[in-house]
């Protein structure tokens, strides 16, 4: 019996929780800017405040991801995951009742902290899945994320017809449902003898980064992780603006395209990650995913027509081969006691990319939109190819997972 089958109830909880949490976040995407503008009083002020909200969320992820990961190494994964999910439900209620922008800002801070529980979720999987099965397991979690991302914004747009606060209440209900589900079905995955004492030297973001500097291979893979997230944030930064400017796509078309992109990534993570990794190994699968994803993003930047732009989303989705295999490689470079700390450090790396990348691509797009609007996608493709080159050499020192 494989580890995936043996721990089916716990893995099912992880997948359902991931989908519900991402769906809850996606629910508010169509209405949060509307609520911000309602409080701000003007579109220009609302744009500034929206940027502040995004930055606050990412900053909290950067600061608290290693703390959550280290707490899960000390007290176990189950209490940390459940408390975080409950806190997220409370956060959605707080935002649904928000009377002003400052209340919304507090809500984004709480949301950034409680969403850091994904570090404990990934550590949970590392506890119960042997190294040879982790790429497939992480791929399934990625697929759950994609499913939530597909359903959340679409449902949020429908619910927003009943008012901009309605999606927040539904998001709170989804998070509460996930909490109750986990309360009854989620066992602890980390035995007491494998737990590690909590230390601020490891739990702060800089301390977590020290873990990533411990091995040359781990440092290299962390850079690949950063470059992957940095490149892919071109979507959140300029996708809607670029599609509208160059191809004349409206909100409906761009929304459907984002859902289509999420669907493609989900299919890759469900059907390809495990099979390709079993055949090529994690390192080669990571490199192949980065290279093919780079060609897809390059095609999006150079496509002369809307249909070719849409077609480029297909190879772009193959970047999804890289993320779970990077994580699988990294888990084999630290001890079982440090899995939570590792996932916290990884989440902080992703958060740094999430703060820097949209600002960078937004600025580049602003100065190049007239002469070369696709330049941002070309740069993103170059970044992914650079990540593939680093990953090719960094992953060589990782012992291959045994496959029975």
């Amino acid at each position: 019996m494989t580890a995936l089958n043996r721990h089916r109830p716990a893995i099912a909880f992880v997948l359902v929780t991931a989908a519900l949490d991402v769906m809850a976040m996606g629910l508010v995407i169509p209405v949060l800017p509307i609520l911000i503008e309602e409080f701000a009083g003007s579109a220009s002020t609302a744009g500034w405040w929206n940027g502040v909200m995004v930055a606050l969320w990412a900053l909290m992820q950067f600061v608290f991801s290693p703390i959550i990961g280290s707490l899960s190494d000390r007290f176990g994964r189950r209490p940390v995951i459940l408390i975080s999910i409950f806190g997220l439900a409370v956060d959605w209620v707080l935002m649904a009742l928000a009377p002003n922008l400052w209340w919304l800002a507090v809500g984004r801070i709480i949301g950034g902290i409680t969403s850091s529980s994904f570090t404990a979720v990934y550590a949970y999987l590392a506890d119960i899945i042997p190294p040879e099965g982790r790429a497939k397991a992480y791929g399934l979690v990625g697929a759950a994320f994609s499913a939530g991302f597909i359903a959340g914004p679409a449902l949020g747009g429908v619910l927003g017809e009943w008012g901009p606060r309605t999606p927040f209440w539904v998001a709170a209900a989804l998070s509460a449902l996930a909490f109750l589900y986990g309360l009854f079905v989620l066992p602890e995955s980390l035995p007491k003898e494998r737990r590690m004492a909590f230390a601020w030297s490891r739990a702060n973001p800089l301390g977590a980064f020290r873990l990533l500097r411990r091995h040359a291979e781990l440092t290299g893979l962390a850079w690949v992780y950063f470059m992957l997230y940095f490149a892919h944030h071109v979507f959140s930064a300029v996708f809607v603006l670029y599609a509208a400017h160059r191809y004349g796509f409206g909100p409906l078309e761009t929304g459907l395209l984002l859902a289509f992109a999420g669907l493609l990534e989900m299919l890759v993570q469900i059907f390809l990650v495990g099979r390709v990794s079993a055949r090529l190994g994690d390192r080669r699968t990571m490199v192949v995913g980065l290279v093919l994803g780079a060609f897809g993003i390059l095609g999006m930047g150079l496509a002369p027509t809307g249909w070719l732009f849409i077609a480029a989303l297909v190879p772009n989705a193959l970047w999804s081969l890289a993320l779970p295999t990077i994580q699988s490689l990294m888990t084999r470079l630290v001890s079982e006691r440090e899995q939570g700390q590792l996932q916290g450090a990884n989440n902080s790396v992703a958060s740094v990319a999430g703060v820097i990348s949209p600002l960078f691509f937004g600025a580049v797009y602003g100065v190049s939109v007239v002469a070369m609007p696709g330049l941002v996608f070309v740069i993103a493709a170059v970044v992914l190819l650079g990540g593939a080159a680093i990953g090719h050499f960094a992953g060589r020192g990782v012992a291959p997972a045994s496959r029975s």
Side-chain angles (χ1 to χ4, degrees):
M1 180 181 292
T2 66
L4 288 174
N5 289 329
R6 188 166 58 252
H7 298 284
R8 187 181 298 273
I11 293 173
F13 166 78
V14 168
L15 298 179
V16 170
T17 299
L20 288 177
D21 279 357
V22 174
M23 185 184 298
M25 295 175 197
L27 277 171
V28 305
I29 289 176
V31 295
L32 181 58
I34 297 174
L35 196 57
I36 290 174
E37 186 171 357
E38 180 182 305
F39 288 136
S42 69
S44 58
T45 305
W48 183 83
W49 269 101
N50 196 52
V52 170
M53 299 296 179
V54 173
L56 281 174
W57 191 89
L59 179 62
M60 292 303 102
Q61 286 268 300
F62 170 71
V63 172
F64 282 91
S65 287
I67 295 176
I68 297 294
S70 292
L71 285 173
S72 77
D73 285 337
R74 171 64 182 88
F75 298 104
R77 318 299 185 200
R78 184 178 190 272
V80 171
I81 292 172
L82 292 179
I83 291 172
S84 296
I85 294 172
F86 181 79
L88 192 59
V90 172
D91 171 56
W92 295 128
V93 172
L94 178 70
M95 296 187 70
L97 298 172
N100 53 50
L101 284 168
W102 294 107
W103 197 322
L104 280 181
V106 172
R108 286 289 76 192
I109 290 172
I110 297 174
I113 295 171
T114 54
S115 296
S116 300
S117 65
F118 288 129
T119 62
V121 167
Y122 280 117
Y124 189 103
L125 290 176
D127 292 337
I128 65 176
I129 304 296
E132 66 271 15
R134 287 174 187 166
K136 182 177 180 180
Y138 291 154
L140 291 175
V141 174
F145 287 161
S146 297
F149 180 74
I150 293 168
L155 183 58
V158 174
L159 293 172
E161 295 296 316
W162 281 274
R165 296 177 187 267
T166 303
F168 291 95
W169 290 111
V170 177
L174 289 175
S175 294
L177 181 63
F179 169 77
L180 292 174
Y181 179 35
L183 192 64
F184 291 105
V185 306
L186 186 67
E188 179 55 64
S189 65
L190 188 65
K192 290 185 178 180
E193 62 271 15
R194 285 170 49 192
R195 296 181 187 179
M196 178 180 288
F198 182 86
W200 282 109
S201 61
R202 294 191 305 270
N204 69 80
L206 298 180
F209 286 149
R210 280 197 289 271
L211 173 68
L212 299 179
R213 295 198 304 268
R214 181 178 302 172
H215 307 287
E217 295 88 352
L218 199 57
T219 302
L221 290 171
W223 274 108
V224 178
Y225 199 82
F226 172 83
M227 295 168 80
L228 187 153
Y229 271 96
F230 185 93
H232 210 64
H233 270 294
V234 72
F235 278 80
S236 62
V238 302
F239 182 90
V240 174
L241 297 173
Y242 176 78
H245 171 78
R246 189 164 188 181
Y247 307 113
F249 293 157
L252 176 61
E253 291 88 350
T254 53
L256 291 174
L257 281 179
L258 287 171
F260 177 60
L263 176 63
L264 290 174
E265 292 172 10
M266 181 178 69
L267 294 175
V268 169
Q269 290 158 339
I270 291 175
F271 296 109
L272 291 184
V273 170
R275 289 179 173 87
V276 178
S277 178
R279 179 177 291 272
L280 300 181
D282 287 344
R283 180 177 67 88
R284 291 179 180 174
T285 301
M286 169 188 66
V287 173
V288 167
L290 291 168
V291 171
L292 294 178
F295 280 110
I297 290 183
L298 181 64
M300 294 169 67
L302 300 180
T305 68
W307 284 110
L308 288 175
F309 176 77
I310 295 170
L313 289 173
V314 176
N316 168 72
L318 294 171
W319 79 274
S320 300
L321 291 170
L323 182 58
T325 44
I326 294 172
Q327 292 170 320
S328 178
L329 288 166
M330 296 178 82
T331 61
R332 303 207 294 271
L333 289 168
V334 301
S335 71
E336 294 303 313
R337 293 187 174 189
E338 296 172 311
Q339 294 297 329
Q341 186 185 354
L342 171 65
Q343 300 303 334
N346 280 345
N347 215 21
S348 289
V349 169
S351 297
V352 172
V355 173
I356 298 174
S357 176
L359 296 176
F360 171 79
F361 284 124
V364 172
Y365 184 77
V367 299
S368 65
V369 61
V370 176
M372 190 178 178
L375 178 61
V376 288
F377 291 93
V378 175
I379 294 173
V382 172
V383 171
L384 279 185
L385 289 175
I390 294 174
H392 172 71
F393 293 102
R396 283 183 169 180
V398 183
S402 60
R403 300 187 183 277
S404 53

